[in-house]
Amino acid sequence: MGLRMMSTLVGWWVYNLTNAAIAIGIVGLSEFIPAVSFALYAGHVIDLSEKRKLLLRGVSLYFTAVIVLLFLSTSFTASHIRSHQIAVCIYAVIFCTGIVRSFTGPVFNVVLAQIVPKNTLQNATTWSQGSWLSASVSGHAIGGFLIAWVGNTGALTVIAILIFIAAMILFRLKPKPALNERGEKKTWESVKEGLRFVFRTKELLGAISLDLFAVLFGGAVAMVPVYARDILKAGAQGFGFLNGASDLGSIIIIITLTFFPIRKQQGRKLFFAVAGFGICIIVFGLSKIFFVSFAALMLSGILDGISVVTRGTIMQLKTPDNMRGRVMSVNSIFINSSNELGQFESGVAASLLGNVRSVVFGGCMTLLVVTITWFKAPSLRKMEY
């Protein structure tokens, strides 16, 4: 929840410092480059490491990053450093959190499989996604409200407290030792083994590829600061509502799927969900009415939630325990690519095409990706579990 609040705040903060949509894209690129660059090595390290210790180190480094941002947000800093220099410092901090994320992101999924028995792993994955999305919607929405009520400094103070609490909770986990021994394989051989597994498992590759390109082009959420301030004239509070809309939809469907899971034709329904997501993005891009924009984003979250659960279940059920770190890290490359690179793509497209046309273009490209994948990945289309 604290990290979601931080991403919300940074997007709003940088846009107000620079008044440029491309600046929002650079935020995504700043995190994307290190997260993807270190991902494969991180997977090798995760499989050889004690997972609890890695988690605690990562959360401690996140806490340090928030403290640096807190200092940059103070009136003292604002009076001594120019706005564009503060923005550069923010980019540097986000670059560092990208490195941390390449290690901590996959570890959470690996730890889940070490805590929960395999016969309940499918249901546990749904519950895990539900708790993550609950934190996400809370973080996005509350982050926007805190910016309006207490400013950037006050919001960052709350974020620091939340991350500290998270560290205390994770400290209570029992150690999760490595399943592989050091020296069992050389680093590059270990990395290649994880890559080969992902690319040979066609259903897994198809699902994460579909998500990659759909979110890459349909990442309208990155443009929410622009829509909230300049198009819908909704201000910081409206920004908070719009930021939480898609996650609110996701948590609704996650709760529903927890009690009423998809029993048949999961692959086919995955395609329909991603296509519907693209249509929602087009509606959001064209809308000039706040309620319609909110509804389109919320419905996109519902459809994206179906994709998240399906992909997450495939990942957990098809990955052997001793390769989870490497496989989850490969998956994180796709996730980071779709989110952070998608954020950069949205900023660049907005600069070249204009805000509205760039979002509509992204939704249309999502529909094209679904169409191509439908014919290129028949095993995913026919998949059931």
Side-chain angles (χ1 to χ4, degrees), residues 335-359:
I335 294 174
N336 290 331
S337 298
S338 62
N339 292 328
E340 276 66 47
L341 191 57
Q343 185 176 354
F344 177 70
E345 182 273 336
S346 296
V348 173
S351 299
L352 296 175
L353 302 175
N355 297 321
V356 174
R357 281 189 294 239
S358 69
V359 175

Side-chain angles (χ1 to χ4, degrees), residues 205-229:
L205 179 62
I208 60 181
S209 298
L210 181 63
D211 179 77
L212 164 67
F213 291 107
V215 178
L216 173 65
F217 291 112
V221 175
M223 301 309 296
V224 165
V226 179
Y227 271 76
R229 197 188 78 171

Side-chain angles (χ1 to χ4, degrees), residues 253-331:
I253 192 62
I254 290 292
I255 293 173
T256 303
L257 292 177
T258 300
F259 296 102
F260 305 100
I262 302 173
R263 297 293 185 186
K264 296 180 180 180
Q265 297 183 326
Q266 290 92 344
R268 184 179 294 268
K269 291 172 183 177
L270 172 63
F271 278 95
F272 291 150
V274 178
F277 173 83
I279 293 171
C280 289
I281 297 306
I282 294 172
V283 172
F284 171 77
L286 295 173
S287 172
K288 298 295 190 296
I289 303 171
F290 181 85
F291 174 77
V292 174
S293 300
F294 180 86
L297 287 177
M298 187 171 73
L299 182 56
S300 76
I302 291 175
L303 296 168
D304 185 52
I306 295 173
S307 172
V308 167
V309 170
T310 304
R311 189 183 71 250
T313 303
I314 293 171
M315 289 287 299
Q316 292 288 6
L317 294 178
K318 286 191 169 288
T319 304
D321 290 337
N322 67 330
M323 291 182 62
R324 289 189 183 278
R326 283 164 287 174
V327 173
M328 294 302 172
S329 292
V330 173
N331 182 55

Side-chain angles (χ1 to χ4, degrees), residues 137 240-250 293-295 297-299 301:
V137 65
F241 277 111
L242 290 175
N243 243 321
S246 61
D247 286 334
L248 177 61
S250 294
S293 300
F294 180 86
L297 287 177
M298 187 171 73
L299 182 56

